[in-house]
Amino acid sequence: MARKEILANCNENETRVAVLEDGQLQEIFIERESARGTAGNIYKGRVSRVLPGMQSAFVDIGLERDGFLYVSDVLPDIDAQSAWLGDADNGIDDSPRPQKRQSRRSRESQKIDKLLSRGQEILVQISKAPLGTKGARVTTNISLPGRYLVYMPSVDHVGVSRKIEDRAERHRLRRIAQKVRRKGMGGFIVRTAGVGRSEAEIGADVKFLHELWEALKQRGEKAGSRALIHRDLSILLRLLRDLVTTDFDRVVIDDAEEFERASRFIQQINPDVADRLQLHQSDRPIFDHYKVREQLDKALESKVWLKSGAYLVINQTEALVAIDINTGKYVGKKRLEDTVLQTNLEAVKEVVRQIRLRDLGGIIVIDFIDMEEAESRRKVVEALTDELAKDRAKTQLLQISEFGLVELTRQRVKQSLERTLCQPCPYCHGNGLVKSVDTVCLEILREVNRMRKALEGRDVMVRTNPAVSRALQGDARAVLAGIREIVKAPVSVLADQTLHQEQFEVASL
């Protein structure tokens, strides 16, 4: 069994939590105090606009952009309520639903302007944090995650996570949840952490969550609009609640105050693993000590090398993520089909690790190396399915095409690692490319030709970026000679470090 560890690097400005398996970085969670995650937060908002044509509304919750509320998120929906909980199983019981639950089509047939009006105050929860230029997605269907349960006050239903496969245990947990739930209390989903737990433990979670909800309702009644009613736990405490089980060997925290807070929290919710919390004692930074920093740096590179010498190329666009697999230095030892299959199977594990580590979401297209045999394609799809089962985010996988292309979708809850840690390059403005030095040199020549009447017979100065200046006086000196021939006068070149490589200025002296 893989050795699982959690490493937490905490300071007053930022918390970074790394999940490792056998020393290899699998996931990274980053929360900055200046932009602390909003998913799961509950606000008392005011409806700012109702758009009947889009069957949606915008709700002012006090953030930079109004929250987006779709009509289906105004009425009870079990699936939607638990969907934003990327760490809460992403799957509920598939047993028959109560008759009173409306289908998504039925909910979407409702008229948004019959349900909401401008200026109306409502309690909403952020189901998807703001991404890029998009505001937060909000819902009126509140979900409160506990240690063993997810509480849904507006839904009259008891379910069990699909990830709990044992039939007898599913039945036992459903029976306990139904027994401890009081009439009119709302609904619950039993999480995977509830496996093996007693009626007393689950009952205590029910009591805690119901009391929390009652307190939130009272706070909401007293608060004005655009008020934060409930803030979710810090990223470290959420992960301690949702991830840490007896499968984890240890949790190492590098801040004494945060360690004490985490120790008190874990003693309250999961005392069985309290002894696995450790305070980092080394003088070396925790991410350096456990070689996480270098793995994190590599997660921002587009090329990822595999042990065999093959490699992946990962490119993110606004609409989708493309992952290309190449044999690279790996030439194999047997026939071509075997070499291709082994490369693709090795790539599968790294592809899924990179998807989890980089938190890639939306449409993902994987271009495996072409395989001639259907059996080879089947093996790759099987391996990919098995690896994706380890991912806590919701994924949907399509079959591999004869060209080796696989399309999958992955739940997007927060910004990808790249967009969390990076910003568009101010030099190329996010294009990833700038005009070459040779191209700029020829553009200068064309510009001088356009200005020839004004410049002819007069001394000329060309002010350029240093790289272009060097080229004009070196490899591209023929271009400079052409400029002198056009103006029929001396031409000087001035290097200006403040100029972008694509910028230049032509002036007569």
Side-chain angles (χ1 to χ4, degrees), residues 134-152:
K134 297 178 181 177
R137 175 108 180 227
V138 299
T139 176
T140 61
N141 297 309
I142 308 298
S143 295
L144 296 173
R147 176 60 183 163
Y148 310 121
L149 305 162
V150 176
Y151 178 36
M152 303 171 297

Side-chain angles (χ1 to χ4, degrees), residues 26-27 86 89-90 163 351-353 355-357 359-360 364 384-395 408-411:
Q26 299 294 326
E27 293 180 275
D89 303 330
N90 288 319
K163 291 189 176 181
V351 163
V352 176
R353 186 177 87 90
I355 287 173
R356 292 172 61 196
L357 176 57
D359 214 345
L360 303 176
I364 301 173
L384 186 57
T385 303
D386 290 344
E387 288 299 315
L388 287 171
K390 302 173 185 176
D391 188 2
R392 290 175 297 108
K394 194 173 186 177
T395 57
L408 63 93
T409 59
R410 184 174 186 266
Q411 179 188 25

Side-chain angles (χ1 to χ4, degrees), residues 276-337:
R276 303 189 188 192
L277 265 64
Q278 299 176 15
L279 180 63
H280 180 60
Q281 302 287 358
S282 172
D283 291 335
R284 290 186 71 200
I286 188 169
F287 275 20
D288 289 1
H289 185 81
Y290 292 95
K291 299 181 180 178
V292 171
R293 187 170 65 90
E294 57 192 68
Q295 295 185 60
L296 190 55
D297 288 342
K298 287 181 180 177
L300 297 174
E301 297 175 2
S302 61
K303 184 178 284 189
V304 180
W305 288 96
L306 305 178
K307 289 181 180 178
S308 66
Y311 64 90
L312 318 176
V313 177
I314 303 173
N315 288 307
Q316 296 183 58
T317 71
E318 193 67 30
L320 58 80
V321 177
I323 303 177
D324 186 33
I325 292 115
N326 298 277
T327 52
K329 303 170 187 175
Y330 181 56
V331 294
K333 296 180 180 178
K334 299 180 181 178
R335 64 193 185 104
L336 176 61
E337 183 74 10

Side-chain angles (χ1 to χ4, degrees), residues 61-77:
I61 55 177
L63 300 182
E64 184 180 351
R65 298 182 184 87
D66 288 356
F68 178 79
L69 177 63
Y70 191 56
V71 65
S72 63
D73 292 318
V74 183
L75 298 166
D77 176 18

Side-chain angles (χ1 to χ4, degrees), residues 32 88 107 270:
R32 289 174 178 157
R107 292 194 314 278
N270 194 7

